[in-house]
Amino acid sequence: MRDLIISVTCLLCLMVPWGIYDRYSMSTIENYKTLIDSRILPAIETNDWPAAEKEMKFIAQNWDDYKSVSAYFTDTTSINEVDSMVSKVYYYVKCRDASNSAGEIASLKYCLNFLHENQHPSLKNIF
């Protein structure tokens, strides 16, 4: 009985932080995707570069916080891929390059979806 209690306690010690992180991750990534769809992409399409740069700066700064937490729960390859895309999009927007900005922001959105899907503990992700 003692072994069962220890096993359940250890399982809870693993699952509770993962559940908290999953909620944090889901809300953060959904916030990024909403900003991309509702503010950044329309600003790029209308050549409103100050607004696009302001929103990308917000994402870039918040991404650093998210990345530091996410490093404990996700593989670094996925995080580094999204990190490089955030940097590319930010500097394309800063340089006012409409075609590269729009293309890279679409890739960023796809990578954020992929990152979010790979964080859920499921049989598909384990095997």
Side-chain angles (χ1 to χ4, degrees), residues 49-69:
W49 296 109
E53 187 175 344
K54 177 185 166 195
E55 297 299 332
M56 271 311 300
K57 187 174 183 179
F58 174 78
I59 287 178
Q61 288 172 344
N62 284 338
W63 171 253
D64 288 336
D65 296 335
Y66 176 81
K67 180 177 63 172
S68 64
V69 172

Side-chain angles (χ1 to χ4, degrees), residues 47-120:
N47 290 326
D48 185 8
W49 296 109
E53 187 175 344
K54 177 185 166 195
E55 297 299 332
M56 271 311 300
K57 187 174 183 179
F58 174 78
I59 287 178
Q61 288 172 344
N62 284 338
W63 171 253
D64 288 336
D65 296 335
Y66 176 81
K67 180 177 63 172
S68 64
V69 172
S70 195
Y72 295 106
F73 296 95
T74 309
D75 66 325
T76 56
T77 305
S78 299
I79 294 172
N80 289 340
E81 184 177 334
V82 174
D83 192 34
S84 70
M85 285 203 170
V86 167
S87 297
K88 282 186 209 175
V89 172
Y90 180 67
Y91 285 106
Y92 281 141
V93 167
K94 206 169 185 171
C95 292
R96 299 179 180 207
D97 186 352
S99 62
N100 284 330
S101 296
E104 286 293 327
I105 204 136
S107 287
L108 174 62
K109 188 176 171 190
Y110 175 79
C111 283
L112 287 171
N113 281 332
F114 182 74
L115 181 67
H116 184 63
E117 289 297 320
N118 281 338
Q119 292 172 357
H120 294 295

Side-chain angles (χ1 to χ4, degrees), residues 3 11-13 16 21 27-28 44 46 49 52 54 62 66 71 74 76 82 86 92 104 108 124 127:
D3 292 337
L11 184 63
L12 287 176
C13 287
V16 169
Y21 169 72
S27 67
T28 304
I44 290 170
T46 61
W49 296 109
K54 177 185 166 195
N62 284 338
Y66 176 81
T74 309
T76 56
V82 174
V86 167
Y92 281 141
E104 286 293 327
L108 174 62
K124 179 182 168 188
F127 298 109

